[in-house]
Amino acid sequence: MKLDYIDALRGMAILSVIWFHCHLEHFSNTTFYSLMDTLGSPAAIGVQLFYALSAFTLFLSQDRRKGADIQKTDFFYRRLFRIAPMYYVAIPYYLWQMAYFYSQPLSSVIRYNAYGIMANMLLLHGLSPVWINSIIPGGWSVGIEVLFYAMVPFLFTRITNLNRAILFTALTLLGGFVLTSVLLHVPAIQNSQLLVEYLFYYLPYQLPVFGCGIVAYYVVIRKERCVRPWVTGFAVSVVAFLILSKTVGQTVLPNLPHTLHLFGSIGFAVLIIVLAKWPSQLLVNRVTRYIGKVSYSAYLTHFGILYWLNKVLPKALIPVTSTLTNVINFHLKFVLILVPTVLFSSITYRLIEEPAQQVGKRFLRRRKDRALPAAVEINQ
């Protein structure tokens, strides 16, 4: 089943991510930066759109294979062949870029980051505030995604309807916010910027984002509409609690975690549901679908392209004399970064991602073929 709106939403997610990282690089004139800064905050949650879409498609994949005669570990092999090859290609490149940036021998950079490299190779870097972004810029999102993968087979057997999906999302929303709020008030954590940043990245604070994707799955794919009144009441109460904590509560408890990505993810669930029913040509079209197809490669490569173009592009492509010319200047540079990112990602998608997935499919077929004689022998 080809879901064009899913690819299109992936395209919009990576466009948002690239836009935000261009914004962080200040491809603009700071004198007229207020508008860009305002727009930059919503663009920061493009990764959360990826997460919601991931949960949606993973539950769909599990549902399709529910009655098939497959081994439980096949799910993890499929995910490994999907994300690891491109990630493993990115690791040596960004180590080299790091060595270039710090004017250090590559061997020294490798020795210094030995444990971080090992954690990234094992795809377990999401467990550590030190390793989560230690090698690949933005690698935190892949680390958290992998931790969610580990939960999917179990969650699929427990979250079996829309009511349970809403409850899971509301509970993780509440639990993640409370846990993070408590940890942010621990003096040792408050005094470490690394730990404070990790409390945004870590799985407990991102888990309700995945939950929103699961909710969308039950509405769109399973066509479920009936929600029990007490489930609705609990979910609304949790959202109301978060809103109050960020308004009235901030006068009592400062340093509460920000919640933009949480509320944005609720909006993403609505967006998935709406586009599934009414796929607007403005959003679901050939361009957004294609960018979505190469979005994983684009995510891993755009940091490098951004780094090098930042070195060669002038601060102003046009004279910046007002907010309008500042916005135009910024978006000209955004396009100059987006185009080579899509082109380069198309190459890596064809040369790395697609062949790796084909290897994975052949591996699983051979694995299944080897398992069949053994199963027949046992039955006899």
Side-chain angles (χ1 to χ4, degrees):
M1 186 194 309
K2 183 70 173 175
L3 303 178
D4 289 343
Y5 61 91
I6 295 296
D7 277 341
L9 284 168
R10 287 195 183 106
M12 287 184 273
I14 191 60
L15 288 172
S16 176
V17 167
I18 296 172
W19 194 100
F20 176 68
H21 290 143
C22 289
H23 156 74
L24 288 184
E25 292 292 334
H26 302 294
F27 280 173
S28 189
N29 188 309
T30 53
T31 307
F32 308 104
Y33 208 65
S34 59
L35 175 62
M36 302 302 297
D37 206 34
T38 301
L39 294 173
S41 295
I45 59 175
V47 166
Q48 280 67 41
L49 178 52
F50 275 125
Y51 284 168
L53 294 168
S54 176
F56 182 99
T57 55
L58 287 172
F59 262 59
L60 177 59
S61 175
Q62 288 291 94
D63 189 36
R64 289 176 182 170
R65 295 180 169 89
K66 188 166 52 178
D69 183 21
I70 57 175
Q71 299 184 48
K72 293 180 180 180
T73 53
D74 285 2
F75 168 80
F76 299 106
Y77 282 117
R78 283 194 299 272
R79 303 321 302 162
L80 181 68
F81 281 103
R82 173 68 185 91
I83 67 164
M86 186 62 201
Y87 197 79
Y88 290 161
V89 169
I91 287 173
Y93 167 75
Y94 283 107
L95 286 169
W96 174 83
Q97 182 177 294
M98 196 185 307
Y100 177 86
F101 179 80
Y102 289 109
S103 301
Q104 295 290 323
L106 180 59
S107 57
S108 299
V109 171
I110 292 173
R111 281 198 303 273
Y112 181 79
N113 291 282
Y115 291 113
I117 294 169
M118 188 182 303
N120 275 266
M121 292 295 293
L122 294 173
L123 299 173
L124 296 176
H125 54 291
L127 294 172
S128 165
V130 176
W131 300 332
I132 194 164
N133 265 332
S134 61
I135 307 298
I136 298 177
W140 71 273
S141 64
V142 178
I144 298 306
E145 179 89 7
V146 169
L147 295 180
F148 178 69
Y149 289 165
M151 301 175 67
V152 167
F154 173 78
L155 292 178
F156 185 73
T157 64
R158 296 296 184 269
I159 306 174
T160 54
N161 56 51
L162 178 59
N163 283 279
R164 290 189 175 191
I166 293 173
L167 273 177
F168 171 79
T169 304
L171 285 169
T172 54
L173 194 64
L174 179 63
F177 181 79
V178 171
L179 175 63
T180 305
S181 299
V182 170
L183 292 175
L184 280 172
H185 288 84
V186 175
I189 292 177
Q190 281 185 324
N191 294 327
S192 171
Q193 184 62 31
L194 193 66
L195 291 174
V196 170
E197 289 178 0
Y198 184 69
L199 291 184
F200 170 75
Y201 297 143
Y202 78 145
L203 184 61
Y205 207 49
Q206 299 295 330
L207 201 50
V209 178
F210 293 101
C212 289
I214 299 171
V215 169
Y217 160 79
Y218 276 103
V219 173
V220 173
I221 303 300
R222 294 290 191 88
K223 310 294 184 186
E224 295 190 22
R225 300 290 187 272
C226 183
V227 182
R228 294 173 183 172
W230 71 269
V231 173
T232 302
F234 178 68
V236 170
S237 298
V238 169
V239 172
F241 169 76
L242 259 64
I243 293 173
L244 288 173
S245 71
K246 295 299 289 181
T247 53
V248 178
Q250 276 198 316
T251 61
V252 181
L253 290 172
N255 302 321
L256 292 175
H258 71 75
T259 52
L260 175 64
H261 74 296
L262 300 178
F263 291 113
S265 300
I266 297 171
F268 291 149
V270 174
L271 182 60
I272 294 170
I273 294 166
V274 170
L275 284 185
K277 190 169 182 62
W278 300 288
S280 166
Q281 186 69 20
L282 179 65
L283 300 178
V284 183
N285 52 63
R286 184 178 298 179
V287 174
T288 55
R289 294 200 311 270
Y290 182 78
I291 294 175
K293 186 171 72 170
V294 300
S295 59
Y296 180 56
S297 275
Y299 183 81
L300 293 176
T301 60
H302 84 275
F303 294 102
I305 292 170
L306 185 60
Y307 174 79
W308 293 108
L309 288 184
N310 193 28
K311 286 181 168 295
V312 300
L313 289 177
K315 184 177 181 181
L317 295 174
I318 62 171
V320 176
T321 58
S322 65
T323 300
L324 177 60
T325 52
N326 184 49
V327 170
I328 293 172
N329 179 63
F330 174 88
H331 284 93
L332 285 172
K333 291 186 175 180
F334 168 68
V335 171
L336 288 177
I337 289 163
L338 177 63
V339 170
T341 297
V342 173
L343 291 175
F344 192 75
S345 300
S346 299
I347 296 171
T348 55
Y349 178 79
R350 298 294 182 189
L351 296 182
I352 300 170
E353 288 192 67
E354 280 193 325
Q357 291 179 61
Q358 292 304 315
V359 170
K361 289 177 182 178
R362 289 195 295 271
F363 170 79
L364 290 173
R365 280 198 298 269
R366 287 197 297 268
R367 193 164 180 266
K368 184 178 179 179
D369 292 341
R370 286 196 299 268
L372 284 174
V376 170
E377 187 175 326
I378 291 172
N379 291 331
Q380 291 174 345

